[in-house]
Amino acid sequence: MHVQAMFDAITDRNTEVDLARQGDDPAVRAGAKGLRITGPATMHRIRATPT
């Protein structure tokens, strides 16, 4: 199902952003600055979008 693949990609990106924010390398942390995590409400809206 293509929606599940998109949710998997969103989850992977959220994990990468979280790890970058918690990292020891200042350059990596700076790269994650300003990035937003896709939350449950947004994922619910994506799921509710008609195809």
Side-chain angles (χ1 to χ4, degrees):
M1 182 175 189
H2 68 281
V3 175
Q4 186 58 48
M6 183 173 56
F7 286 149
D8 291 342
I10 289 170
T11 301
D12 290 346
R13 182 179 180 277
N14 286 347
T15 302
E16 289 174 8
V17 171
D18 279 338
L19 290 173
R21 287 179 179 169
Q22 297 171 11
D24 294 331
D25 186 1
V28 173
R29 284 196 316 264
K33 188 173 183 173
L35 295 179
R36 296 176 64 183
I37 291 179
T38 304
T42 302
M43 290 174 43
H44 181 72
R45 295 265 186 196
I46 292 169
R47 191 177 296 114
T49 304
T51 56

